[in-house]
Amino acid sequence: MFKVLALLLTLGFSTYSVAMGVIVHIDDFSIVMEVFNVGVTILLSGAKTTFWLVNGEKIKLIMYRLESSVFHCEEVDDFKPEFTVNQAKNSGVNYAFLLLLFSHLVLGLGYIPAICIALWYRINDLPITNVKTFETLPYYIHIPFEHDTALKYVLACLSQCIPMYLYVNAFIGVDSLFMNLMNFIATHMFILQGAFRTMRKRCVRKIRGNDLAPDGLHNSDELEGFMMEEMKKCIQHLQILLRSCKDIEDTFKFLSLVQALGTIYILCTTLLLLSTTPVLTKEFGKNIFYLVGVIVQLGLYCWFGNQLTLQAANLPLALWESDWLETRKPFKICMLLTMMRLRRPLLINADIERCKGRIMSIDNGSNSTLSKNVDVTIWRCNLSRCSNTLPNNSTSLFSIFVT
């Protein structure tokens, strides 16, 4: 209840400040655009804070699922899953720190110099009237009291800065969470590639007898049993990752849409402000850093999303390189079904389902539906034909591929 009340009070004060800032400076287009940028940032931060309050527990469940012990694989040669996971965690922290650094740099360059100069005037008991630096605050959002003395100017800056600092932290927190979830799933996709490639080598270490049958063409029963168990484990790993991606998309889709629209708006208006602002001015430098922060944020979103798609697309090749020539029919059926499922690219989309009918052509939609129906039909036929050759309880492993 306290969090909700604090959010409502902060958003109420900020909304009033932005609205009054627009009304007071309605005749100056550049200032109005800058105030609107601040307003969009506040709107996005409020949406992300509300999103966390509503969906925080659901996101924690996804995080716990991704930390499951089912993902554990033995190390062999260059395949070191624990080391890879630790590297991914460190890189996620570094990227989150980079995003936080740019956002705080934008705030710091706007407020720290102004506050320091005002404090110097206050210490030396100097008036600030008719001093150009103190004619306006760092941002043009309205503060409901005069700032005609150095102390009042400092208080006015803090009244602007503290809520924006809270918004930035909420903004970066949810963005970092989303990016690191995609980063962690992409890392697990990479680990799964190594698990497929080293499957036979890791299973050979577990057997006590020969790795090949007397005919020399197929695996021994012992090795084949271990490889089927390992294949089941990898399929379960893949199912958990695909389910996590679906849950992330379902949870973040509305927020991703709002984020994309808000970021595009801020990017366009900031470029417009830069084109109308003299180069050697405080406003130009502030807008440059603001633009760089937006580009870094958008770039990290695209980077992690692209890595997730690429790592998932590399899984069929890794499965093909899994030293499967000596395996038997049930193992090869598992391979084929898994590779067929992975023909569809893995993407995290915003909530644009309602717009697809207006954006996509009829031919594209028909082809997509036809392709999906053909895929499902093939998977069902393969399962029905091979159900007698699969080991007990293994058919349930492929339930995700026919949904």
Side-chain angles (χ1 to χ4, degrees):
M1 186 63 186
F2 171 76
K3 294 178 181 179
V4 175
L5 183 60
L7 176 63
L8 292 176
L9 289 175
T10 308
L11 287 177
F13 173 75
S14 300
T15 303
Y16 165 78
S17 299
V18 170
M20 290 301 298
V22 172
I23 293 172
V24 171
H25 302 96
I26 193 66
D27 295 331
D28 193 320
F29 176 76
S30 298
I31 294 178
V32 170
M33 285 294 99
E34 183 178 323
V35 175
F36 268 123
N37 280 352
V38 175
V40 171
T41 304
I42 293 171
L43 174 65
L44 292 176
S45 301
K48 292 182 178 184
T49 305
T50 305
F51 167 81
W52 173 253
L53 292 175
V54 174
N55 298 291
E57 295 302 321
K58 188 184 300 184
I59 296 171
K60 289 179 183 178
L61 291 177
I62 298 174
M63 295 167 63
Y64 295 149
R65 185 193 303 161
L66 293 175
E67 294 283 353
S68 172
S69 59
V70 73
F71 294 150
H72 175 73
C73 293
E74 303 85 358
E75 294 186 2
V76 57
D77 297 337
D78 294 332
F79 177 57
K80 299 178 180 179
E82 293 296 330
F83 177 75
T84 304
V85 168
N86 291 332
Q87 269 192 328
K89 289 180 179 179
N90 292 332
S91 65
V93 171
N94 293 335
Y95 283 121
F97 178 76
L98 177 66
L99 198 58
L100 189 67
L101 177 65
F102 272 102
S103 60
H104 284 189
L105 193 60
V106 173
L107 276 181
L109 290 175
Y111 287 102
I112 291 177
I115 291 176
C116 289
I117 295 173
L119 288 176
W120 186 84
Y121 271 76
R122 171 65 179 173
I123 292 171
N124 292 278
D125 198 20
L126 297 175
I128 66 170
T129 54
N130 300 324
V131 179
K132 187 176 181 180
T133 304
F134 302 111
E135 290 178 357
T136 59
L137 294 170
Y139 286 91
Y140 290 97
I141 55 178
H142 180 71
I143 297 299
F145 58 85
E146 295 294 332
H147 44 85
D148 52 356
T149 66
L151 181 59
K152 289 182 179 180
Y153 189 87
V154 171
L155 293 175
C157 287
L158 291 176
S159 299
Q160 280 189 351
C161 182
I162 292 175
M164 294 188 68
Y165 175 79
L166 297 176
Y167 294 139
V168 164
N169 286 338
F171 203 104
I172 302 305
V174 176
D175 282 353
S176 300
L177 175 64
F178 183 49
M179 293 174 191
N180 279 290
L181 283 172
M182 291 192 293
N183 179 38
F184 207 58
I185 294 177
T187 301
H188 274 295
M189 291 289 183
F190 178 75
I191 291 173
L192 195 54
Q193 294 173 34
F196 281 134
R197 290 190 176 99
T198 61
M199 184 181 299
R200 193 175 193 279
K201 186 176 292 187
R202 288 183 289 112
C203 290
V204 167
R205 291 185 174 187
K206 300 177 183 179
I207 64 173
R208 296 182 179 180
N210 295 326
D211 59 337
L212 294 177
D215 60 6
L217 298 177
H218 300 91
N219 290 328
S220 64
D221 292 339
E222 184 183 16
L223 179 58
E224 189 71 16
F226 277 115
M227 290 194 69
M228 279 302 302
E229 289 299 322
E230 191 65 29
M231 175 60 80
K232 293 177 185 178
K233 181 180 176 181
C234 289
I235 290 175
Q236 186 181 8
H237 189 167
L238 178 60
Q239 287 178 344
I240 292 175
L241 294 179
L242 294 176
R243 192 179 306 120
S244 298
C245 285
K246 184 179 184 303
D247 290 345
I248 289 172
E249 182 175 17
D250 291 342
T251 305
F252 282 87
K253 58 183 179 181
F254 294 109
L255 185 65
S256 298
L257 179 62
V258 173
Q259 169 72 37
L261 295 176
T263 301
I264 292 172
Y265 170 80
I266 293 174
L267 186 64
C268 294
T269 54
T270 305
L271 288 172
L272 177 62
L273 289 174
L274 284 173
S275 67
T276 58
T277 305
V279 176
L280 300 177
T281 58
K282 178 180 65 176
E283 287 75 15
F284 186 85
K286 182 173 62 178
N287 288 328
I288 278 288
F289 278 101
Y290 197 73
L291 178 65
V292 170
V294 172
I295 292 175
V296 168
Q297 180 203 32
L298 188 61
L300 289 177
Y301 261 81
C302 296
W303 168 263
F304 286 118
N306 188 57
Q307 286 298 110
L308 175 59
T309 301
L310 291 179
Q311 295 299 339
N314 289 332
L315 276 174
L317 178 60
L319 188 56
W320 180 260
E321 296 172 351
S322 62
D323 200 1
W324 53 271
L325 291 177
E326 296 86 2
T327 59
R328 301 177 188 178
K329 188 174 181 180
F331 185 92
K332 294 173 182 177
I333 291 174
C334 295
M335 283 184 57
L336 288 173
L337 290 172
T338 306
M339 294 171 73
M340 290 170 65
R341 165 59 183 88
L342 293 170
R343 287 192 305 174
R344 287 182 290 170
L346 184 61
L347 303 170
I348 303 293
N349 297 312
D351 185 38
I352 54 174
E353 291 294 330
R354 297 177 182 178
C355 303
K356 280 186 177 180
R358 300 177 182 178
I359 297 175
M360 296 176 61
S361 66
I362 296 177
D363 291 338
N364 288 340
S366 301
N367 291 336
S368 176
T369 305
L370 177 62
S371 175
K372 182 176 179 181
N373 290 337
V374 169
D375 287 346
V376 171
T377 303
I378 291 173
W379 294 334
R380 291 187 186 276
C381 290
N382 282 336
L383 284 175
S384 61
R385 290 178 183 177
C386 304
S387 59
N388 294 328
T389 64
L390 290 172
N392 293 335
N393 299 326
S394 61
T395 305
S396 61
L397 291 173
F398 308 106
S399 60
I400 192 172
F401 300 132
V402 293
T403 58

